Structure formats: structure tokens, C-alpha cells
Amino acid sequence: MTYAQIIGWGSCLPPARLTNHDITTVMETSEQWITERTGIKTRRISHVKNVELAHVASVRALACANVSAKDIDVIAYATTTADEVVPNTASMLQRSMGATNAACFDLNAACTGFLYSFNMMSDMIRSGSVKTVLVVGSERLSSLMNWSRRDSAILFGDGAGAMVLQASAQESGFIQGKLGCIEDTRELLAIPDFGLDAIAQHRPLDITIDFHGKEIFKNAVTGMARACTDVLEQSGLGLEDVDLIIPHQANLRIIEALVKRLGADMDKVVVTLDHYANTSTSSIPIALCEALGQGRVKPGMTILMAAFGAGLTWGATLVKWGERITPLGSTDVDLPPTDKTGLELIQEAIAIRASAADRF
Ligand code: UT7
């Protein structure tokens, strides 16, 4: 039997911070509302492109695994905020890393994208068709936000996380997974005029998000809970066998409701949204890296991951950790520095959006 072991991990959080207080200076909201309704206190805002975040996270994951970029068979790049659509972003990452032997594809399943990629790539390794894979989730959601929409703009942050998976005879990595998409919920979280159809229909391109937070909230809790229960049942394990839970980091109240519904304990749950907010598809690999850095992941642990996102896509994945919990190597590779604050970066984004609106 071949397993898809996680042998490397890395993340990249841009340095500029945007606090709840900063946000109160550009829209009508309050620090108290954001903290109480979401658990979020601060988030990171990127001064670079999406692919640069992905590059740093990926190079760190490769150094951690002590694997050369040339050994990668596939780059699976999950993102909702691709810098370019044609050709795909994964090929940009291939070039920047020198991953000359890799097949490259992007995957968009919104915040569930990393789990979709992780499950698919684990299956490819387990079936024997590839040996070493880079799964990366990277988002620059700040570029997609409408900073006059307080219902959505307060929720998100930028960042990337990556994992290197490799064929192994040791029982570890993906144990069980379940993915899905709730039908008839597309309109709950959508950017309807952000594609070629808008152009074909002579409508102006517009990246305004249609966002129905309350409905998403309910679907997120029920969808993730069902997915978690299903993967546990399919694998013959109970919640008592799970050592760590890494949920998508959208809202602390969603995580608490999920944990309550499962009958789990918050002590087992990794929470990073207070300092990184919702980084969409990157939130699970970033949270995993943080848990590893804090020594919360132990050899042989069983880890349950669950996510939901626009679509509404959902998924849960059960993973058995291997023996190694420390990196084999490290790298000096980092983002270029910036003197700008998070607030300055979003003020620039607001100005760019205003002048773009004049053009359309
Ligand atoms: O990962 C996938 C994407 N993430 C999500 O989709 C997140 C899912 N949803 C949520 O996390 C929550 O639904 C929100 C945090 C978005 C909203 O929390 P809520 O408890 O569902 O609030 P609500 O939408 O019912 O709004 C309650 C009130 C409203 O005022 P009225 O109508 O009661 O007077 C809103 O206008 O809060 C108001 N409100 C705000 N007030 C201050 C909404 N956003 C804000 C804000 N600041 N930023």
C-alpha cells in the first residue's frame, strides 16, 4: 500500500497588518462589532502579487521537506484570486521555483480549494501515478474587496500555505475525505459580473461581492458537521480518536457552533482567525503550519480538517500525521520588504478601485 505522506509545510503571511481599528477609519463599523461577531482582531494585507505569496510558502515547504523543485511531479495551486487566468498561476509558480518537471493546474473551489487539491493529489499519489506533489493555497483577497461593504470587507486577509506530499510505505497522510457542493446556493456568495460573461453581455466588469453572511453561516455549520461525521464513519473512527481539529477560519462563532454540533472540545481546535482573519483557501495550511510551529502536532496524531466556501463548496479530510514534526531544512527566501502599513495599502486599493470605476 502506498500512502501520501506530508513531508513539508510552509506558509507566507505578508508583513503589513490591518487592525479592526484601522478599518473603522474607512467604513462605518466598530472594533467591538467585528471582534464580537467574528473573533477577528487583525489581518495581513499583501503588497505583492498572489503568486509571490505562493512562491515563498512553497519554497519554505520544499526546504522543510529537503526536496528539490525539480522533484515535483505536480503543482496543484488552489486560489480564488489568481493574478492571471490564462495561462494558469501554477505555471507562474513553476517558473519562479524552477519546477521544470511539474504538471501545473489551478483549482478554484473558493475556501474549500486546498482540501479539494489535497484530497485529489493524495489519491493520485496513493494510486501510484505520481510521487511528489506540491499543494499550495494562496489568496490576495484584499484586492477583491469592496471597502465600502462592511458585511464582507472586514472578514478577509491575505496569505499562503503549502504542503509537499510524497509517496511513502509508512501509514500516514490522507486517511479519508469527503467533498461536495450544496446545490442552489451559488448566489449566497458570488461576484456575478467578474467574468467573461459580463463582457460578452456588455455589462461593465464589477468585483462587487454578493454576500449573505447569515445564510452562509448556517450552511457552513451544517455542511462541515455532516462532512466531518461522514469521514469519521467511513474511516471507522470516532471523534475521541481525533487529536486535533483544523477548521476553515471564517468566523469564531462558526467554529464554536461546529465544535458544539460535533460534541468536540475547543482545546483540540486550532484557531488563527483572530490574527490572520479568513485567508480563504490558505486558512487550513496556514493553521497547520502554526500548529506545527507551536508544537501542537505530535507524531502519529489523527487530524480532522473541514472547510466551506463559495459554491457553496464543502469538505472534510482526515489525516494521520507521520513521525517527523520538525523541518529538515529552512530557507532565507522571503517577500520583498515594504514600509507601507495595511491601512495605506487598502487606501491605495480604494483609490485604484475608484479610478477603475471611472474607466468602465
Ligand atoms: O469563508 C467563506 C466566507 N465567510 C463567510 O461567508 C462568513 C459567514 N458569515 C458570518 O461570518 C456572519 O454571518 C457575519 C460575520 C458576516 C455577520 O454576522 P451576523 O451575526 O450574521 O450579522 P448580520 O449579517 O445578521 O448583521 C447583524 C447586524 C445588521 O444590522 P441590523 O440589520 O441588525 O441593524 C448589519 O447591518 O450587524 C450589521 N453589520 C455590521 N455592523 C457593524 C453587518 N456588518 C457590520 C459591520 N459593522 N462590519
Side-chain angles (χ1 to χ4, degrees):
M1 175 82 191
T2 303
Y3 297 92
Q5 190 165 37
I6 302 167
I7 61 164
W9 52 90
S11 64
C12 176
L13 280 311
R17 286 181 168 78
L18 181 72
T19 63
N20 291 349
H21 176 72
D22 291 334
I23 293 183
T24 63
T25 66
V26 295
M27 67 174 72
E28 198 181 323
T29 185
S30 69
E31 288 178 70
Q32 189 187 1
W33 192 96
I34 302 172
T35 311
E36 283 177 4
R37 305 307 291 173
T38 71
I40 297 165
K41 293 181 181 147
T42 181
R43 70 284 290 142
R44 302 295 180 92
I45 302 295
S46 182
H47 62 296
V48 295
K49 296 201 295 189
N50 178 320
V51 74
E52 294 178 67
L53 302 173
H55 175 84
V56 173
S58 301
V59 172
R60 286 176 179 163
L62 288 175
C64 170
N66 195 23
V67 161
S68 155
K70 298 208 173 354
D71 292 332
I72 301 170
D73 298 317
V74 186
I75 298 173
Y77 194 132
T79 188
T80 325
T81 50
D83 297 313
E84 291 169 18
V85 176
V86 184
N88 63 27
T89 321
S91 58
M92 238 194 276
L93 183 58
Q94 174 193 40
R95 180 182 285 176
S96 71
M97 287 196 308
T100 40
N101 299 308
C104 298
F105 73 95
D106 289 5
L107 185 147
N108 178 358
C111 305
T112 322
F114 189 86
L115 284 194
Y116 270 59
S117 295
F118 182 88
N119 290 11
M120 285 163 55
M121 290 300 103
S122 296
D123 278 348
M124 278 186 82
I125 290 175
R126 285 154 64 100
S127 73
S129 58
V130 294
K131 188 174 167 234
T132 307
V133 168
L134 175 72
V135 184
V136 55
S138 186
E139 299 282 18
R140 192 185 181 190
L141 290 149
S142 59
S143 58
L144 208 57
M145 288 303 116
N146 182 334
W147 292 99
S148 63
R149 291 290 298 272
R150 66 178 189 174
D151 59 345
S152 46
I154 56 143
L155 297 172
F156 297 98
D158 300 332
M163 290 186 204
V164 180
L165 314 182
Q166 193 167 64
S168 168
Q170 189 197 354
E171 188 183 356
S172 64
F174 177 92
I175 300 174
Q176 192 65 251
K178 182 140 191 190
L179 305 171
C181 185
I182 304 172
E183 63 172 357
D184 290 337
T185 54
R186 296 190 80 239
E187 287 73 20
L188 295 185
L189 206 181
I191 309 179
D193 283 330
F194 187 41
L196 291 178
D197 190 50
I199 295 170
Q201 304 292 331
H202 301 284
R203 290 197 306 274
L205 272 183
D206 180 5
I207 53 174
T208 297
I209 303 184
D210 285 348
F211 190 83
H212 301 269
K214 242 186 187 23
E215 287 307 308
I216 305 169
F217 191 120
K218 283 185 236 156
N219 280 291
V221 176
T222 51
M224 284 195 292
R226 199 174 325 118
C228 289
T229 311
D230 284 354
V231 293
L232 284 169
E233 256 175 43
Q234 283 167 9
S235 56
L237 296 177
L239 201 60
E240 63 285 0
D241 301 309
V242 173
D243 301 300
L244 204 60
I245 300 174
I246 306 186
H248 172 47
Q249 307 285 315
N251 184 322
L252 185 59
R253 292 188 297 129
I254 293 179
I255 294 176
E256 286 169 347
L258 170 70
V259 166
K260 189 171 171 201
R261 197 174 265 247
L262 291 174
D265 190 337
M266 276 302 281
D267 290 352
K268 285 186 179 178
V269 181
V270 180
V271 176
T272 61
L273 60 80
D274 52 331
H275 43 289
Y276 299 142
N278 180 352
T279 53
S280 183
T281 199
S282 315
S283 83
I284 287 183
I286 288 173
L288 178 73
C289 288
E290 187 151 302
L292 278 151
Q294 291 169 344
R296 291 185 71 183
V297 178
K298 309 280 183 221
M301 263 191 168
T302 300
I303 302 175
L304 179 61
M305 308 187 278
F308 71 96
L312 295 176
T313 56
W314 54 263
T317 302
L318 207 51
V319 158
K320 186 174 165 61
W321 198 260
E323 284 305 310
R324 187 166 55 82
I325 49 170
T326 50
L328 288 176
S330 61
T331 171
D332 292 339
V333 170
D334 208 339
L335 297 177
T338 177
D339 293 336
K340 290 185 177 147
T341 63
L343 185 56
E344 284 166 347
L345 287 167
I346 67 155
Q347 281 164 340
E348 277 176 16
I350 291 167
I352 290 167
R353 280 288 288 274
S355 66
D358 290 344
R359 282 205 307 276
F360 288 126

